[in-house]
Amino acid sequence: MKIGFIGLGNMGLPMAVNLAKAGHEVVGFDTAAPATPPLAAAASAAEAAREADIVITMLPNGDILRAVASDIIPAMKKGAVFCDCSTVDVASARDVAEQALASGLGALDAPVSGGVSGAAAGTLTFMAGGSDADFATMRPLFDIMGGRAIHCGDSGAGQAAKLCNNMILGVTMIATCEAFALADKLGLDRQKLFDVASTSSGSSWSMNTYCPAPGVGPQSPADNDYRPGFAADLMLKDLNLSQQAAERVDADTPMGELAMQLYARFVGEEDGKGRDFSAMLPRFEQRSRKS
Ligand code: NAD
């Protein structure tokens, strides 16, 4: 297949390279630097999109997605599929899909989880919103770039799944970190807390797979001085999206809101910027009840 790939950053580049290595013809475009082999380079997003059967975007946010979409949708071949894999707000995802469908294109929102290592290894999870037919068209490409692809519903459902999932993740990571910090002050060994909670009702992905305590549980960014992994800045972005969506539909999400506030302080005023989102543990460690 001919694929246009727009946004060749930390995630997009390895995804595009995996598609090219699997034998697809991939034309890439990024405003920061020209694409290099095994990708072919285009001079603009519209040029990357023009001949493509499928265009994939992997961009920082909804405003940039909207701008890129208005450049490429008029350039794309009728019947081609526009698949956005960025994490953006549900409203941008729905608007862009509507524009694409109105121009005779297919459209999917298909944000990912699995991070930069999953993008490189081709083990991402895709959560997709759009029609059965467009999902079926994209499926072989999801299988190259990822390990799982879940069709979540109509346009916007992929983004909705992503922001709900990451709201759970942000909240459980904070709960896990504050429990370790409380255990320290209670004189409870961290390894013992892990042994109990990881096999009991306190278990979660944050505890069992991505334990925020260095030297405890499987290898995680905590064992690498909290280098990301999944940066606290990106968690803040996703929590902001969850609260923006909750606001729009009048959903009560007090824990999500508090998690967003804590990550905003962590990234903006404390030393969280550029650190892994599990570095909330040393943050709690240094604090007292009233600080
Ligand atoms: P990134 O900043 O490394 O890459 C984004 C790329 O888009 C950059 O190379 C930038 O130059 C390019 N870009 C910006 N404006 C453009 C335009 N108008 N036209 C073409 N290219 C443009 O970000 P990333 O880490 O690759 O993340 C991409 C998306 O994936 C984000 O929405 C992010 O939330 C999501 N995501 C990231 C991770 C992660 O662990 N990094 C995990 C899951 C999802």
Side-chain angles (χ1 to χ4, degrees), residues 6-12 29-32 58-61 64 68 85-87 112-113 115-116 162 229-230 234 237-238:
I6 298 162
L8 302 170
N10 293 321
M11 296 291 290
F29 175 73
D30 191 294
T31 43
M58 196 55 174
L59 296 163
N61 60 48
I64 294 176
V68 169
C85 292
S86 328
T87 303
V112 302
S113 82
V116 177
K162 167 88 186 173
F230 185 46
L234 286 175
K237 171 189 169 182
D238 293 356

Short mmCIF file of all heavy atoms in Angstrom, two decimals, residues 6-12 29-32 58-61 64 68 85-87 112-113 115-116 162 229-230 234 237-238, ligand 1:
data_model
loop_
_atom_site.label_atom_id
_atom_site.label_comp_id
_atom_site.label_asym_id
_atom_site.label_seq_id
_atom_site.Cartn_x
_atom_site.Cartn_y
_atom_site.Cartn_z
N ILE A 6 2.44 11.51 8.51
CA ILE A 6 2.70 12.92 8.86
C ILE A 6 2.88 13.05 10.37
O ILE A 6 1.98 12.69 11.14
CB ILE A 6 1.55 13.80 8.34
CG1 ILE A 6 1.51 13.69 6.81
CG2 ILE A 6 1.75 15.26 8.76
CD1 ILE A 6 0.23 14.13 6.19
N GLY A 7 4.05 13.55 10.77
CA GLY A 7 4.41 13.65 12.18
C GLY A 7 5.36 12.53 12.53
O GLY A 7 4.94 11.43 12.92
N LEU A 8 6.67 12.79 12.33
CA LEU A 8 7.68 11.74 12.51
C LEU A 8 8.49 12.03 13.77
O LEU A 8 9.71 12.18 13.73
CB LEU A 8 8.60 11.70 11.27
CG LEU A 8 7.86 11.45 9.94
CD1 LEU A 8 8.80 11.67 8.76
CD2 LEU A 8 7.28 10.03 9.89
N GLY A 9 7.80 12.12 14.89
CA GLY A 9 8.47 12.39 16.17
C GLY A 9 8.84 11.11 16.87
O GLY A 9 9.08 10.07 16.24
N ASN A 10 8.86 11.15 18.20
CA ASN A 10 9.27 10.00 19.00
C ASN A 10 8.43 8.76 18.70
O ASN A 10 8.94 7.64 18.70
CB ASN A 10 9.14 10.32 20.50
CG ASN A 10 10.14 11.36 20.92
OD1 ASN A 10 11.27 11.36 20.46
ND2 ASN A 10 9.72 12.28 21.78
N MET A 11 7.15 8.96 18.45
CA MET A 11 6.25 7.84 18.18
C MET A 11 6.13 7.58 16.68
O MET A 11 6.20 6.44 16.21
CB MET A 11 4.85 8.14 18.74
CG MET A 11 4.78 8.29 20.24
SD MET A 11 5.06 6.74 21.10
CE MET A 11 3.59 5.82 20.70
N GLY A 12 5.89 8.66 15.91
CA GLY A 12 5.58 8.51 14.49
C GLY A 12 6.71 7.87 13.70
O GLY A 12 6.46 7.00 12.85
N PHE A 29 6.33 13.07 6.18
CA PHE A 29 6.52 14.52 6.28
C PHE A 29 6.48 14.94 7.74
O PHE A 29 5.63 14.49 8.51
CB PHE A 29 5.46 15.30 5.50
CG PHE A 29 5.60 16.79 5.70
CD1 PHE A 29 6.63 17.49 5.10
CD2 PHE A 29 4.73 17.48 6.54
CE1 PHE A 29 6.80 18.86 5.32
CE2 PHE A 29 4.89 18.84 6.78
CZ PHE A 29 5.93 19.53 6.16
N ASP A 30 7.42 15.82 8.10
CA ASP A 30 7.42 16.43 9.43
C ASP A 30 7.98 17.84 9.27
O ASP A 30 8.92 18.04 8.48
CB ASP A 30 8.30 15.59 10.38
CG ASP A 30 8.14 16.00 11.84
OD1 ASP A 30 8.51 17.14 12.20
OD2 ASP A 30 7.62 15.20 12.63
N THR A 31 7.41 18.79 10.00
CA THR A 31 7.89 20.17 9.87
C THR A 31 9.30 20.34 10.45
O THR A 31 10.00 21.28 10.08
CB THR A 31 6.93 21.14 10.60
OG1 THR A 31 6.59 20.57 11.85
CG2 THR A 31 5.69 21.42 9.80
N ALA A 32 9.72 19.43 11.33
CA ALA A 32 11.02 19.60 12.00
C ALA A 32 12.19 19.15 11.14
O ALA A 32 13.24 19.78 11.18
CB ALA A 32 11.02 18.85 13.33
N MET A 58 0.49 11.56 13.28
CA MET A 58 0.94 11.32 14.67
C MET A 58 1.49 12.64 15.18
O MET A 58 2.69 12.90 15.13
CB MET A 58 2.00 10.20 14.66
CG MET A 58 2.25 9.60 16.03
SD MET A 58 0.71 9.00 16.76
CE MET A 58 1.28 8.21 18.23
N LEU A 59 0.57 13.49 15.66
CA LEU A 59 0.86 14.91 15.89
C LEU A 59 0.65 15.28 17.37
O LEU A 59 -0.01 14.55 18.11
CB LEU A 59 -0.06 15.75 15.01
CG LEU A 59 0.18 15.55 13.49
CD1 LEU A 59 -1.00 16.07 12.68
CD2 LEU A 59 1.49 16.20 13.07
N PRO A 60 1.18 16.44 17.77
CA PRO A 60 1.15 16.78 19.20
C PRO A 60 -0.24 17.06 19.79
O PRO A 60 -0.48 16.72 20.95
CB PRO A 60 2.02 18.04 19.30
CG PRO A 60 2.87 18.03 18.08
CD PRO A 60 2.07 17.35 17.02
N ASN A 61 -1.12 17.71 19.06
CA ASN A 61 -2.40 18.09 19.70
C ASN A 61 -3.51 18.33 18.67
O ASN A 61 -3.26 18.29 17.44
CB ASN A 61 -2.22 19.33 20.59
CG ASN A 61 -1.73 20.52 19.80
OD1 ASN A 61 -2.27 20.84 18.74
ND2 ASN A 61 -0.69 21.18 20.29
N ILE A 64 -3.13 21.28 15.98
CA ILE A 64 -2.22 20.94 14.87
C ILE A 64 -2.90 19.91 13.97
O ILE A 64 -2.82 20.01 12.74
CB ILE A 64 -0.86 20.45 15.41
CG1 ILE A 64 -0.16 21.62 16.12
CG2 ILE A 64 0.02 19.89 14.30
CD1 ILE A 64 1.16 21.27 16.80
N VAL A 68 -3.44 20.39 9.97
CA VAL A 68 -2.92 19.42 8.99
C VAL A 68 -4.07 18.80 8.20
O VAL A 68 -4.00 18.65 6.98
CB VAL A 68 -2.07 18.33 9.70
CG1 VAL A 68 -1.76 17.17 8.77
CG2 VAL A 68 -0.78 18.93 10.26
N CYS A 85 -3.55 8.88 14.60
CA CYS A 85 -3.12 8.09 15.77
C CYS A 85 -2.67 8.97 16.93
O CYS A 85 -2.25 8.46 17.97
CB CYS A 85 -2.00 7.13 15.36
SG CYS A 85 -2.57 5.84 14.24
N SER A 86 -2.72 10.30 16.78
CA SER A 86 -2.33 11.21 17.86
C SER A 86 -3.32 11.07 19.02
O SER A 86 -4.42 10.56 18.86
CB SER A 86 -2.41 12.67 17.39
OG SER A 86 -2.12 12.82 16.02
N THR A 87 -2.92 11.58 20.18
CA THR A 87 -3.87 11.71 21.29
C THR A 87 -4.38 13.14 21.26
O THR A 87 -3.60 14.08 21.46
CB THR A 87 -3.18 11.44 22.64
OG1 THR A 87 -2.60 10.14 22.60
CG2 THR A 87 -4.19 11.51 23.78
N VAL A 112 -2.98 5.50 20.55
CA VAL A 112 -2.24 4.30 20.94
C VAL A 112 -1.86 4.35 22.41
O VAL A 112 -1.77 5.42 23.02
CB VAL A 112 -0.94 4.16 20.12
CG1 VAL A 112 -1.26 4.12 18.63
CG2 VAL A 112 0.06 5.27 20.41
N SER A 113 -1.60 3.17 22.96
CA SER A 113 -0.86 3.13 24.21
C SER A 113 0.29 2.15 24.01
O SER A 113 0.26 1.32 23.10
CB SER A 113 -1.76 2.75 25.39
OG SER A 113 -1.92 1.37 25.44
N GLY A 115 3.68 3.57 24.35
CA GLY A 115 4.85 4.45 24.44
C GLY A 115 5.87 4.23 23.34
O GLY A 115 5.64 3.48 22.38
N VAL A 116 7.00 4.91 23.52
CA VAL A 116 8.05 4.91 22.49
C VAL A 116 8.62 3.50 22.30
O VAL A 116 8.89 3.08 21.17
CB VAL A 116 9.16 5.92 22.89
CG1 VAL A 116 10.30 5.90 21.89
CG2 VAL A 116 8.59 7.33 23.02
N LYS A 162 -9.12 6.18 25.11
CA LYS A 162 -7.76 6.55 25.53
C LYS A 162 -7.80 7.47 26.75
O LYS A 162 -7.07 7.28 27.72
CB LYS A 162 -7.06 7.23 24.35
CG LYS A 162 -5.78 7.96 24.65
CD LYS A 162 -4.58 7.06 24.57
CE LYS A 162 -3.34 7.82 25.02
NZ LYS A 162 -2.18 6.98 25.12
N GLY A 229 10.33 6.30 29.66
CA GLY A 229 8.99 5.96 30.08
C GLY A 229 7.87 6.85 29.52
O GLY A 229 7.85 7.21 28.35
N PHE A 230 7.01 7.14 30.37
CA PHE A 230 5.86 7.97 30.04
C PHE A 230 6.01 9.24 30.88
O PHE A 230 5.89 9.20 32.11
CB PHE A 230 4.57 7.21 30.34
CG PHE A 230 3.32 7.94 29.93
CD1 PHE A 230 3.21 8.54 28.68
CD2 PHE A 230 2.23 8.03 30.79
CE1 PHE A 230 2.06 9.21 28.30
CE2 PHE A 230 1.08 8.69 30.43
CZ PHE A 230 0.98 9.28 29.18
N LEU A 234 3.23 14.29 29.56
CA LEU A 234 2.24 13.64 28.69
C LEU A 234 1.04 13.15 29.50
O LEU A 234 -0.10 13.20 29.04
CB LEU A 234 2.88 12.47 27.93
CG LEU A 234 3.81 12.87 26.78
CD1 LEU A 234 4.49 11.64 26.18
CD2 LEU A 234 3.03 13.61 25.69
N LYS A 237 -1.06 16.11 29.92
CA LYS A 237 -1.82 16.38 28.68
C LYS A 237 -3.08 15.51 28.64
O LYS A 237 -4.18 15.98 28.38
CB LYS A 237 -0.93 16.07 27.46
CG LYS A 237 -1.69 16.11 26.15
CD LYS A 237 -0.89 15.60 24.95
CE LYS A 237 -1.83 15.44 23.76
NZ LYS A 237 -1.20 14.92 22.56
N ASP A 238 -2.91 14.21 28.92
CA ASP A 238 -4.05 13.29 28.82
C ASP A 238 -5.09 13.57 29.92
O ASP A 238 -6.30 13.47 29.67
CB ASP A 238 -3.56 11.83 28.89
CG ASP A 238 -2.74 11.46 27.65
OD1 ASP A 238 -2.64 12.30 26.74
OD2 ASP A 238 -2.21 10.35 27.60
P1 NAD B 1 6.67 14.37 19.29
O1 NAD B 1 6.59 15.78 19.73
O2 NAD B 1 7.95 13.62 19.46
O3 NAD B 1 6.26 14.27 17.73
C1 NAD B 1 5.32 15.08 17.11
C2 NAD B 1 5.90 15.45 15.74
O4 NAD B 1 4.93 16.20 15.01
C3 NAD B 1 7.16 16.31 15.84
O5 NAD B 1 8.23 15.67 15.16
C4 NAD B 1 6.76 17.62 15.16
O6 NAD B 1 7.81 18.25 14.44
C5 NAD B 1 5.66 17.14 14.23
N1 NAD B 1 4.75 18.20 13.79
C6 NAD B 1 4.24 19.23 14.52
N2 NAD B 1 3.45 20.00 13.74
C7 NAD B 1 3.46 19.44 12.51
C8 NAD B 1 2.83 19.76 11.29
N3 NAD B 1 2.02 20.81 11.16
N4 NAD B 1 3.06 18.97 10.22
C9 NAD B 1 3.88 17.89 10.32
N5 NAD B 1 4.51 17.53 11.45
C10 NAD B 1 4.30 18.29 12.53
O7 NAD B 1 5.48 13.61 20.02
P2 NAD B 1 5.29 12.03 20.19
O8 NAD B 1 5.85 11.60 21.50
O9 NAD B 1 5.71 11.36 18.94
O10 NAD B 1 3.70 11.96 20.34
C11 NAD B 1 2.84 12.06 19.21
C12 NAD B 1 1.42 11.82 19.68
O11 NAD B 1 1.33 10.53 20.27
C13 NAD B 1 0.93 12.82 20.73
O12 NAD B 1 -0.42 13.12 20.46
C14 NAD B 1 1.10 12.06 22.04
O13 NAD B 1 0.19 12.48 23.04
C15 NAD B 1 0.78 10.64 21.57
N6 NAD B 1 1.38 9.59 22.41
C16 NAD B 1 2.68 9.68 22.82
C17 NAD B 1 3.21 8.66 23.62
C18 NAD B 1 4.65 8.73 24.08
O14 NAD B 1 5.01 7.93 24.97
N7 NAD B 1 5.49 9.60 23.53
C19 NAD B 1 2.42 7.56 23.99
C20 NAD B 1 1.10 7.48 23.51
C21 NAD B 1 0.60 8.51 22.72
#
